[in-house]
C-alpha cells in the first residue's frame, strides 16, 4: 500500500522521503519527511488505522491554521451572536498572536498554556478566561461542523486562571 519516493535536490542528494498510501475507497494520503524512519513510522500508523477501520483523514487539519478557522468563525458564526460586534473585535485581536500560524493538527495544550501565561502578564484573568472560551468555541466549531479532524480540543485541557 505505501510507496516511498526519494526527494532529491538539484545536485542529486537525497533531501527527504515522500510517502504515498493508496487504498480502495479512500483518497490517497501523502506526506514528506526528512528521515526515512519517520516516513516508515507514519506509513505503518496510517496503514494500521486503515486496516482497523479507524482512519480519519487529517489533510484538512494539516492544511488549515488556527487563524484560518478564526477568520471563518468571524465571517460565519459571529454575526449570528447577540454580542457580535464585541466578539468580532476580540477575534481580530486574537488573530494577531503567533499561535494563529499553527496548523490545526499541530495545536497542543502546551501552546495554549504558554499563550495563557503570556497573556496573563498583559491583562486580567477574566479577559484571559473569555479569550480561552472563544478559542474553545472556534476549535469545537471547526471539529464538529467544518470537518477538521483533530482528536481533541487542546483548550479543554487548559487550566483557567
Amino acid at each position: 500500500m505505501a510507496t516511498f519516493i526519494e526527494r532529491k535536490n538539484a545536485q542529486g542528494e537525497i533531501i527527504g522521503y515522500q510517502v504515498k498510501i493508496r487504498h480502495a475507497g479512500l483518497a490517497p494520503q501523502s506526506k514528506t519527511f526528512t528521515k526515512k524512519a519517520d516516513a516508515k513510522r507514519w506509513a505503518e500508523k496510517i496503514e494500521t488505522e486503515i486496516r482497523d477501520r479507524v482512519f480519519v483523514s487529517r489533510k484538512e487539519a494539516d492544511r488549515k491554521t488556527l487563524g484560518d478557522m478564526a477568520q471563518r468563525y468571524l465571517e460565519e458564526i459571529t454575526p449570528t451572536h447577540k454580542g457580535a460586534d464585541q466578539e468580532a473585535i476580540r477575534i481580530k485581536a486574537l488573530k494577531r498572536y503567533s499561535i494563529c500560524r499553527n496548523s490545526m493538527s499541530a495545536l497542543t495544550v502546551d501552546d495554549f498554556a504558554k499563550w495563557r501565561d503570556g497573556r496573563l502578564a498583559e491583562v486580567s484573568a477574566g479577559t484571559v478566561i473569555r479569550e480561552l472560551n472563544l478559542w474553545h468555541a472556534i476549535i469545537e466549531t471547526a471539529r464538529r461542523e467544518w470537518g477538521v479532524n483533530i482528536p481533541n480540543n487542546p483548550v479543554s485541557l487548559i487550566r483557567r486562571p
Side-chain angles (χ1 to χ4, degrees):
M1 271 203 287
T3 304
F4 296 88
I5 302 165
E6 293 180 348
R7 291 296 188 201
K8 298 179 181 182
N9 62 13
Q11 293 78 29
E13 300 167 340
I14 297 173
I15 58 171
Y17 298 88
Q18 183 181 30
V19 184
K20 291 186 178 184
I21 299 175
R22 291 182 181 86
H23 191 273
L26 294 175
Q29 301 296 311
S30 66
K31 195 165 182 176
T32 303
F33 299 88
T34 54
K35 297 178 182 175
K36 192 167 187 174
D38 293 339
K40 285 184 178 181
R41 208 172 306 120
W42 180 81
E44 289 172 5
K45 178 182 172 225
I46 298 300
E47 287 175 341
T48 301
E49 288 179 2
I50 291 171
R51 188 174 44 257
D52 294 344
R53 298 176 192 257
V54 294
F55 174 73
V56 177
S57 176
R58 295 171 188 86
K59 208 173 252 187
E60 191 72 14
D62 289 338
R63 195 175 16 221
K64 298 292 183 179
T65 65
L66 180 59
D68 295 337
M69 295 296 100
Q71 182 61 38
R72 185 170 176 187
Y73 190 91
L74 177 64
E75 294 168 358
E76 296 179 19
I77 307 299
T78 297
T80 65
H81 292 168
K82 186 176 180 182
D85 294 339
Q86 291 82 9
E87 188 172 276
I89 291 167
R90 192 174 305 277
I91 291 172
K92 287 175 186 173
L94 290 176
K95 285 178 52 183
R96 292 188 214 133
Y97 289 95
S98 62
I99 196 170
C100 285
R101 291 191 294 272
N102 292 7
S103 73
M104 291 296 289
S105 62
L107 291 174
T108 64
V109 174
D110 189 47
D111 293 334
F112 282 101
K114 287 177 184 173
W115 177 86
R116 176 203 58 209
D117 296 342
R119 194 72 175 120
L120 279 170
E122 302 169 355
V123 297
S124 71
T127 300
V128 174
I129 290 170
R130 280 188 289 281
E131 291 173 350
L132 283 170
N133 291 339
L134 187 53
W135 281 133
H136 185 272
I138 291 168
I139 294 170
E140 278 303 305
T141 301
R143 288 179 67 220
R144 293 181 181 177
E145 297 182 19
W146 298 333
V148 176
N149 293 312
I150 56 175
N152 57 31
N153 188 336
V155 181
S156 300
L157 306 172
I158 293 291
R159 179 186 51 80
R160 302 298 201 259

